[in-house]
Amino acid sequence: MGIIIGIDIGGSTTKIVGFENNNLKIPTFVKANNPIASLFGAFGKFIYDNAIQLSDIEKIMITGVGSANVEQPLYGIPTFKVDEFTSNGLGGRYFTGMNDLIVVSMGTGTSFVQVNGDKIVHTGGIGIGGGTIIGLSSLLLKTQEISKIMELASGGDLSHVDLQICDISKEALPGLPLTATASNFGKVRSQVDEEDIAIGLINMVLQAIGKSAILSSLNSAINNFVMIGNLAKFPQCKDIFCSLETMFDVHFIIPEQAEYGTAIGAALTESHHANMSQILL
């Protein structure tokens, strides 16, 4: 059996993985100015880094918003388009081995996919994610560079911008510790440091995602959430989601290779009862 490639094509970034005999190859992430340039840049780097020949590849499974720009097989290899939400669900299940979970895909916005065994359903999403951080940082910090935003946030203090329970009450409220957020940016009344703005933005977005994920599970018995996508690489994720775990008695899982979750799921789609489009001609 040859190598099965999974590719998640975004607007300007592409993530690619491969499986050979159930073993995951070295994944690759590439940025470019357009989806096609990103796709072929990632593909070339992937086969070079893993010393793969084109003849080694059995088929290619592509997904993501950028996949709409692909209209022919890659290098003559059988190429299929697969559903992104199904890919998210399969990627989350691959990381955890769980059959009942909600996969939270944190990209430009955020989507929620519920997994119950082989049943994978997209239950909704919110327009808050990495795009929110970049957009607001452009306005408030005059930068769109994620590395710069992270650097600033590392020196920030949330208590300088967020109104916390301890600021309005001498005692913890039922289910809410004194450190819980009462209002994001609710303490700002004048100029604050860029570092504090950066950590405030990241905290606001991640809290909104985490709490929305919890709300998406209310009509189910699920309390395990797998976080995938680029935002999972933010170092603040661990502390923010841990605080939500304590408050709401749930479990957030951030896999080691979370940013490749959708690409991994795409590669695994073949073995799942999912709708695949016809081979691209």
Side-chain angles (χ1 to χ4, degrees):
M1 184 175 180
I3 298 170
I4 307 296
I5 301 292
I7 308 178
D8 175 18
I9 312 171
S12 59
T13 63
T14 293
K15 297 145 194 168
I16 177 170
V17 304
F19 283 92
E20 183 176 24
N21 299 323
N22 295 320
N23 294 316
L24 183 66
K25 296 288 187 179
I26 300 171
T28 298
F29 177 98
V30 166
K31 291 184 178 182
N33 292 328
N34 66 72
I36 296 300
S38 176
L39 166 61
F40 281 94
F43 193 88
K45 187 176 188 303
F46 175 78
I47 63 175
Y48 179 83
D49 288 346
N50 287 281
I52 294 172
Q53 302 297 316
L54 291 178
S55 58
D56 297 330
I57 301 172
E58 179 178 346
K59 61 185 63 174
I60 300 170
M61 322 295 280
I62 62 174
T63 193
V65 295
S67 64
N69 296 282
V70 182
E71 299 177 348
Q72 57 185 332
L74 303 183
Y75 298 104
I77 300 168
T79 302
F80 296 83
K81 287 184 180 180
V82 295
D83 179 70
E84 182 173 359
F85 298 126
T86 299
S87 298
N88 290 343
L90 293 174
R93 197 169 67 180
Y94 169 83
F95 284 132
T96 65
M98 296 178 178
N99 285 319
D100 296 290
L101 65 149
I102 288 176
V103 182
V104 184
S105 179
M106 303 184 293
T108 304
T110 302
S111 68
F112 307 111
V113 172
Q114 185 170 318
V115 179
N116 299 105
D118 286 332
K119 184 179 180 181
I120 298 176
V121 179
H122 173 228
T123 58
I126 56 174
I128 296 175
T132 311
I133 294 175
I134 291 174
L136 291 176
S137 294
S138 181
L139 288 172
L140 301 174
L141 303 173
K142 308 306 178 186
T143 182
Q144 296 184 7
E145 293 294 327
I146 291 296
S147 59
K148 177 63 175 177
I149 298 168
M150 285 185 178
E151 180 184 348
L152 288 170
S154 66
D157 188 334
L158 267 181
S159 67
H160 293 168
V161 292
D162 282 2
L163 192 70
Q164 298 177 326
I165 297 297
C166 62
D167 295 314
I168 58 178
S169 175
K170 292 182 179 180
E171 297 180 355
L173 301 179
L176 295 174
L178 289 171
T179 55
T181 303
S183 177
N184 296 104
F185 286 90
K187 194 181 286 187
V188 177
R189 295 294 180 270
S190 60
Q191 188 68 30
V192 294
D193 292 338
E194 289 185 336
E195 291 81 0
D196 298 332
I197 293 174
I199 187 61
L201 289 175
I202 293 173
N203 180 69
M204 179 178 67
V205 167
L206 292 179
Q207 280 188 341
I209 290 172
K211 290 179 181 179
S212 296
I214 293 168
L215 289 173
S216 75
S217 71
L218 289 183
N219 292 325
S220 72
I222 294 174
N223 64 356
N224 289 302
F225 304 88
V226 182
M227 320 304 283
I228 66 173
N230 289 338
L231 278 187
K233 297 186 293 184
F234 276 68
Q236 293 81 13
C237 282
K238 183 177 180 180
D239 288 342
I240 291 171
F241 292 136
C242 277
S243 67
L244 294 177
E245 286 182 331
T246 301
M247 282 190 283
F248 297 101
D249 192 27
V250 296
H251 184 39
F252 288 96
I253 302 163
I254 306 174
E256 181 69 26
Q257 296 177 315
E259 65 269 35
Y260 297 102
T262 304
I264 288 173
L268 297 173
T269 304
E270 182 193 30
S271 60
H272 178 76
H273 299 297
N275 292 323
M276 295 190 303
S277 72
Q278 63 185 7
I279 292 179
L280 301 171
L281 300 177

